[in-house]
Amino acid sequence: MLTLTQVKSKSTARLSGLHPVILAASAALIERCYARGIPIVITQGLRTIAEQDALYAQGRTKPGSIVTNAKGGYSYHNYGLAVDFALLLPNGSSVSWDMKLDGNGNNIADWLEVAEEGKRLGFEWGGDWTSFKDYPHLQMTFGLTLAQLRAGIQPSDSAVEAAYRIITPKQEPKEQTMEEKTLATVKVNGIKIADGLLDKGVTYVPVRVLVEALGAKVTGYDALTKTVEITCNH
């Protein structure tokens, strides 16, 4: 079985030049899919204008079948805002575009699981398009049109921050276990009376132990009002 490091290495070359958000989302996509038993490889990332024009010519003025309707400057790939993926086969060297393949055996096509994870990360999936479906394609537009990108407009800071929050959601602080909390020695007049529990700057000590060390007594506890009665001898 391929390790996650091995799977990641297959995509390294294609991740170069991507917008930082797309890079982070692509890395997270690889990790999430691997966790579901679906190794994938990024087959296309940043594509230059010249490369886009050459791809557009395929099936038109050059041999081959038509694979894109986008000329140079008319694809989000040209701005580092899109990636294409394929399924990485167990041998680690072959890829598959079989959209019915169920390599992890959960009765759901692996391809659709990858698309689902991509959309959870904030990607738009080309398989959802109505006119020209592009099943390997994932992109983030940050609310910008291609015309705006051609004019040199960059994603706003707020749009970038919003995308990062989806990719790496803020986690609530985990409650400390008793083992993780710190014990603190509690002394009265230099003599240890108890091991206190230090939690977030507050030391907790059994009240009876403390008050008796100070010459007082616990004389009662009202369960209804949750009140401890302490009586001093002087």
Side-chain angles (χ1 to χ4, degrees):
M1 179 180 177
L2 296 170
T3 66
L4 177 57
T5 299
Q6 290 173 322
V7 171
K8 282 183 172 181
S9 69
K10 303 294 181 180
S11 298
T12 301
R14 295 297 185 180
L15 297 177
S16 178
L18 290 174
H19 186 284
V21 170
I22 310 304
L23 177 61
S26 298
L29 179 67
I30 294 170
E31 292 173 2
R32 292 189 184 190
C33 291
Y34 183 84
R36 295 177 72 153
I38 308 172
I40 66 169
V41 61
I42 301 302
T43 59
Q44 184 69 71
L46 176 66
R47 190 184 295 145
T48 67
I49 301 296
E51 289 171 335
Q52 187 70 39
D53 283 334
L55 201 61
Y56 180 79
Q58 183 177 317
R60 295 181 173 88
T61 59
K62 292 184 178 180
S65 57
I66 292 177
V67 292
T68 181
N69 284 337
K71 297 180 180 180
Y74 288 79
S75 168
Y76 285 95
H77 278 289
N78 304 151
Y79 306 95
L81 301 180
V83 295
D84 293 339
F85 71 88
L87 305 176
L88 184 61
L89 296 178
N91 62 19
S93 58
S94 303
V95 298
S96 172
W97 284 269
D98 181 357
M99 292 185 60
K100 295 182 180 180
L101 182 66
D102 180 21
N104 62 357
N106 65 349
N107 296 319
I108 304 173
D110 293 348
W111 199 275
L112 297 183
E113 290 190 76
V114 178
E116 176 188 346
E117 289 292 350
K119 289 190 282 187
R120 286 178 178 173
L121 286 163
F123 279 117
E124 174 187 342
W125 179 43
D128 288 330
W129 296 346
T130 54
S131 55
F132 180 84
K133 290 186 179 293
D134 192 352
Y135 293 104
H137 185 86
L138 297 166
Q139 67 181 33
M140 290 189 194
T141 69
F142 299 99
L144 296 176
T145 65
L146 287 164
Q148 289 174 313
L149 289 169
R150 287 195 300 274
I153 298 175
Q154 298 294 315
S156 67
D157 291 343
S158 60
V160 168
E161 290 173 8
Y164 273 129
R165 285 196 294 270
I166 294 173
I167 299 166
T168 55
K170 183 179 179 181
Q171 296 184 354
E172 294 297 324
K174 186 181 73 170
E175 182 67 27
Q176 285 183 308
T177 64
M178 289 297 292
E179 292 76 13
E180 293 171 328
K181 293 176 181 177
T182 305
L183 291 177
T185 299
V186 179
K187 295 181 179 181
V188 173
N189 295 327
I191 300 173
K192 177 181 176 179
I193 63 167
D195 285 322
L197 192 64
L198 184 61
D199 183 22
K200 298 177 182 176
V202 179
T203 302
Y204 297 89
V205 182
V207 65
R208 186 180 298 276
V209 173
L210 181 60
V211 298
E212 289 182 355
L214 295 173
K217 289 185 178 181
V218 176
T219 56
Y221 172 69
D222 189 328
L224 183 62
T225 61
K226 294 183 173 58
T227 302
V228 177
E229 294 286 347
I230 298 174
T231 301
C232 294
N233 297 326
H234 54 276

